[in-house]
Amino acid sequence: MSEFDHEVVIVGLGPTGLTLANLLGRRGIDVLVLEREPHYYGLARAVYTDDEGMRIFQTAGVADELAADMNTDSTVQWVRRDGRVLAQFRQVERPLGWPVANFLYQPYLENSLERALEQYPHVTVRRGRSVTDFEQDADGVVIDHEHCTSSGYGTGPLEIEPGSRERVRARYLIGCDGGRSIVRTRLGIDMSGTSFPERWLVVDLEARDGIDAFRHLPYFDFVCDPAMPIVSCPQPDGHHRFEFMLREDQTKEEMEDPATVERHISRFVDTSEVRVLRKLVYTFNAVVADSWRDRRILLAGDAAHMTPQFIGQGMNSGVRDVDNLSWKLTAILRHGADGSILDSYETERRPHAKAMIDLSVFNKNLVSLDNPVLATLRDIALATAVRVPGLGGWVRGAKMKPAPRFRRGAYLGMDRSILFGIEGRLTPQPQVRTYDGKLQRFDDALGLGFALVGLGVDPRTTLGARDLEALRAMGTRFVTVYPVGGRPQGKPGDGRDDVTDIEDHTGVLTRWFQRARVRAGAVVLIRPDRFVFGTATPENAPTLIAALTGQLGLAAHSSPAQTLRTPSAPVEPDLIGNHYEETR
């Protein structure tokens, strides 16, 4: 097979695979998605996404639709058994352009993401196809897949239809197939970390038609009850989740018994007003794959790392993975970047994913204390912390959450200074004002690719013709940011070219750049995932472009030749607009 059927094959149609398919589809990449299960799962697993996740969904072109089905800006709190509040996390500021706390109903999210794929003729989704083998060479990957009639989402054996094998060849294979990843398993990649013995009963509820059954439970509660730690999670459209920690003497069969479930939830709801959609005893893992890449095969989401559900970051870590991965694959497949840039995928993402796992384990330990003495000390510590000046604001703002920032020396970009540098950091996303007085999100002004931003200057004036040609070949957008009231007046015809000019009418960008000692007249190169690649003074701007082309391998590589059976066309961007592993 000397030609390619697809550029990228994705294994798995959960949130990670769906998000990757949308990000690649919007960038015009030919994609095949293979999902083992023939039928849609239709039940909730993930319940939360943050502002980073929403910003990535914005890049995928689906954020506004998803937000319409979410419970946003909710308060998260740690409470005593009787409901008295120990501490609250509440943040209504939107530094990344979206609410920080967004509670979702996963079937709604997945349905929206899958519907969005219908607009891309170059993205093919095939359900009921189980990957049974693959082999890679220097140029691509051959994938064998067969018709799967059932596996019960991992609860039963695979049922494969004899004689149904098909074979496709792609440039890259991405395993987004969850904690039991067949891709990771066949590669022989182990996972390292901790498997926790604690068992929890998850109960998903739905209010009966016409009944407002959950109005009295408005917030996400960690119920710090040493007799039985509990999680109470509001969800949109009459859904709610409870999780109850089991004692050692309680069996799975006992806890999943309908009478036991009813007894536990009756403490919080009128059981005649709700339906039980799911009840399941599970355990959880805090593990990371030893390697995320084997040449042309990569892992993302739960296939690469599994995060305990106690801060709702499992799904979000997978979404961050594919945001990082999608633009690098596009740079390789569309702009001739060297495949070695994929090495930076793991070095950039692993530390942050591991930090999220560690924070989740810390919160699990905080919530699940069943020793009454230690629980009392915890309650005193939490209640005291929120009253201490400085510390209280740190807790309420959830500042313990790992920052979206790459480690120095481990990312694709220019070196960051220790004190002030913004290289390798995620940019804020305020609203900006266009020349005609309209407001739009900053990312929509940047476009889908690289963006060269000039602070009060046309960034093109800092570069020579060859550098401009190199940037244009990569689809770079040129943007000028003016401070509020600082847009210049000119002569008729000024500004009618390929520079996007915006006004920082909130002052957020101006202050952010000033804190980093990035002065007026400077240029900033922003990656497609909105992390800063580098900054430069006007006279040093060519070194910025040299660093980009050098790190992408563009200086020595031309656009790769390939033959696709179904050629794809780039999609113009529309600028208007955790799941934890179930074990039995």
Side-chain angles (χ1 to χ4, degrees):
M1 300 176 64
S2 59
E3 56 186 15
F4 296 94
D5 301 278
H6 303 278
E7 291 175 294
V8 176
V9 169
I10 300 170
V11 183
L13 200 62
T16 300
L18 282 165
T19 304
L20 178 58
N22 273 281
L23 289 167
L24 292 175
R26 197 171 186 198
R27 291 180 167 115
I29 303 300
D30 187 286
V31 176
L32 170 66
V33 187
L34 300 173
E35 167 55 47
R36 180 183 65 187
E37 299 298 331
H39 306 295
Y40 177 57
Y41 184 61
L43 294 174
R45 291 162 295 184
V47 297
Y48 170 84
T49 190
D50 57 16
D51 50 348
E52 292 179 55
M54 291 303 298
R55 191 175 185 180
I56 295 167
F57 291 135
Q58 178 188 339
T59 302
V62 295
D64 288 312
E65 179 180 351
L66 296 180
D69 287 327
M70 291 182 182
N71 174 340
T72 63
D73 281 323
S74 179
T75 295
V76 175
Q77 54 190 20
W78 293 261
V79 302
R80 294 182 172 90
R81 173 185 172 83
D82 59 7
R84 287 179 297 156
V85 175
L86 290 166
Q88 286 185 334
F89 156 52
R90 54 183 186 273
Q91 183 177 345
V92 295
E93 295 81 9
R94 302 186 177 189
L96 301 185
W98 294 94
V100 174
N102 307 277
F103 290 96
L104 56 92
Y105 187 58
Q106 186 171 334
Y108 294 170
L109 178 135
E110 291 185 350
N111 286 338
S112 294
L113 288 172
E114 191 164 358
R115 279 196 307 271
L117 293 177
E118 296 173 2
Q119 65 187 300
Y120 306 122
H122 48 282
V123 176
T124 303
V125 175
R126 297 191 63 184
R127 288 187 177 273
R129 303 302 302 183
S130 178
V131 171
T132 54
D133 200 6
F134 49 79
E135 184 177 353
Q136 60 179 317
D137 55 38
D139 300 315
V141 188
V142 174
I143 303 105
D144 291 338
H145 56 97
E146 302 182 48
H147 180 54
C148 176
T149 57
S150 179
S151 81
Y153 279 86
T155 62
L158 281 175
E159 298 177 7
I160 301 295
E161 180 181 313
S164 62
R165 189 183 76 166
E166 297 180 28
R167 173 170 288 184
V168 295
R169 181 169 168 82
R171 296 286 304 279
Y172 290 94
L173 172 65
I174 315 299
C176 302
D177 50 340
R180 298 187 180 93
S181 170
I182 185 64
V183 176
R184 187 191 67 241
T185 301
R186 292 194 68 85
L187 288 173
I189 297 174
D190 293 328
M191 302 193 87
S192 301
T194 304
S195 296
F196 290 89
E198 293 98 330
R199 296 164 302 146
W200 289 72
L201 169 70
V202 58
V203 181
D204 285 326
L205 302 177
E206 181 182 41
R208 294 190 179 277
D209 294 344
I211 299 177
D212 191 356
F214 306 117
R215 181 180 291 267
H216 61 296
L217 299 169
Y219 303 136
F220 187 107
D221 290 347
F222 292 109
V223 182
C224 300
D225 179 2
M228 177 178 281
I230 300 168
V231 176
S232 172
C233 175
Q235 294 175 288
D237 200 23
H239 295 92
H240 201 95
R241 168 174 291 176
F242 290 102
E243 299 187 32
F244 305 89
M245 182 175 160
L246 277 63
R247 300 190 308 270
E248 290 186 5
D249 62 340
Q250 292 174 314
T251 66
K252 174 182 183 299
E253 291 72 23
E254 172 192 355
M255 292 300 290
E256 290 182 356
D257 181 85
T260 304
V261 171
E262 182 171 349
R263 184 172 69 255
H264 284 309
I265 65 174
S266 65
R267 173 176 164 183
F268 299 94
V269 298
D270 183 334
T271 57
S272 67
E273 296 181 346
V274 299
R275 285 187 290 268
V276 176
L277 299 181
R278 184 180 66 150
K279 55 185 188 300
L280 175 74
V281 170
Y282 70 92
T283 57
F284 53 89
N285 303 307
V287 293
V288 181
D290 294 341
S291 175
W292 297 14
R293 179 189 177 208
D294 184 338
R295 294 169 289 167
R296 291 182 172 271
I297 304 173
L298 299 104
L299 304 175
D302 282 1
H305 43 75
M306 285 185 273
T307 306
Q309 75 280 11
F310 290 90
I311 57 171
Q313 287 292 338
M315 182 192 79
N316 294 290
S317 289
V319 168
R320 292 185 185 95
D321 289 346
V322 296
D323 185 39
N324 186 293
L325 191 55
S326 61
W327 77 261
K328 293 174 182 175
L329 287 169
T330 303
I332 294 167
L333 295 169
R334 284 291 176 271
H335 306 301
D338 192 87
S340 62
I341 67 170
L342 293 174
D343 291 338
S344 66
Y345 163 58
E346 183 174 346
T347 63
E348 290 178 352
R349 284 292 307 131
R350 174 186 282 272
H352 192 269
K354 180 62 168 60
M356 283 295 187
I357 290 173
D358 293 342
L359 179 59
S360 182
V361 171
F362 172 79
N363 194 42
K364 185 275 299 183
N365 292 336
L366 192 69
V367 172
S368 62
L369 283 174
D370 54 6
N371 181 299
V373 175
L374 293 178
T376 299
L377 293 175
R378 172 205 56 204
D379 294 353
I380 294 171
L382 277 174
T384 302
V386 296
R387 290 175 172 81
V388 175
L391 180 59
W394 186 80
V395 172
R396 287 189 293 273
K399 302 301 183 183
M400 69 290 292
K401 177 185 171 185
R405 178 181 62 231
F406 300 136
R407 289 185 178 177
R408 295 181 68 235
Y411 62 89
L412 198 158
M414 298 184 72
D415 290 339
R416 178 172 68 239
S417 66
I418 297 176
L419 294 179
F420 305 115
I422 56 174
E423 293 83 0
R425 298 176 186 264
L426 188 63
T427 64
Q429 186 187 205
Q431 279 192 331
V432 293
R433 185 176 181 272
T434 63
Y435 75 94
D436 58 352
K438 305 295 185 184
L439 300 182
Q440 69 173 177
R441 300 182 183 110
F442 181 50
D443 289 1
D444 292 341
L446 298 181
L448 288 179
F450 281 91
L452 187 65
V453 177
L455 306 188
V457 298
D458 181 343
R460 297 172 306 168
T461 62
T462 65
L463 300 173
R466 179 175 294 182
D467 287 339
L468 289 172
E469 181 182 358
L471 291 177
R472 289 194 178 102
M474 295 179 59
T476 303
R477 182 168 291 187
F478 302 98
V479 180
T480 300
V481 176
Y482 294 109
V484 60
R487 187 189 298 275
Q489 300 184 72
K491 296 177 292 186
D494 284 354
R496 298 177 189 174
D497 48 23
D498 64 346
V499 173
T500 299
D501 60 311
I502 55 177
E503 192 173 349
D504 179 29
H505 77 107
T506 66
V508 169
L509 291 173
T510 302
R511 290 190 294 272
W512 193 69
F513 288 128
Q514 286 176 344
R515 285 195 297 270
R517 306 295 193 267
V518 181
R519 306 299 186 187
V523 291
V524 180
L525 184 60
I526 299 176
R527 303 184 344 173
D529 57 2
R530 317 313 182 191
F531 284 81
V532 175
F533 179 91
T535 67
T537 59
E539 53 273 18
N540 290 328
T543 64
L544 186 62
I545 310 309
L548 174 66
T549 56
Q551 292 192 33
L552 294 185
L554 293 174
H557 293 82
S558 58
S559 182
Q562 64 177 14
T563 302
L564 279 175
R565 292 195 177 114
T566 307
S568 60
V571 176
E572 290 297 324
D574 174 12
L575 297 181
I576 301 175
N578 149 350
H579 71 270
Y580 51 82
E581 184 72 4
E582 296 179 354
T583 56
R584 289 181 178 264

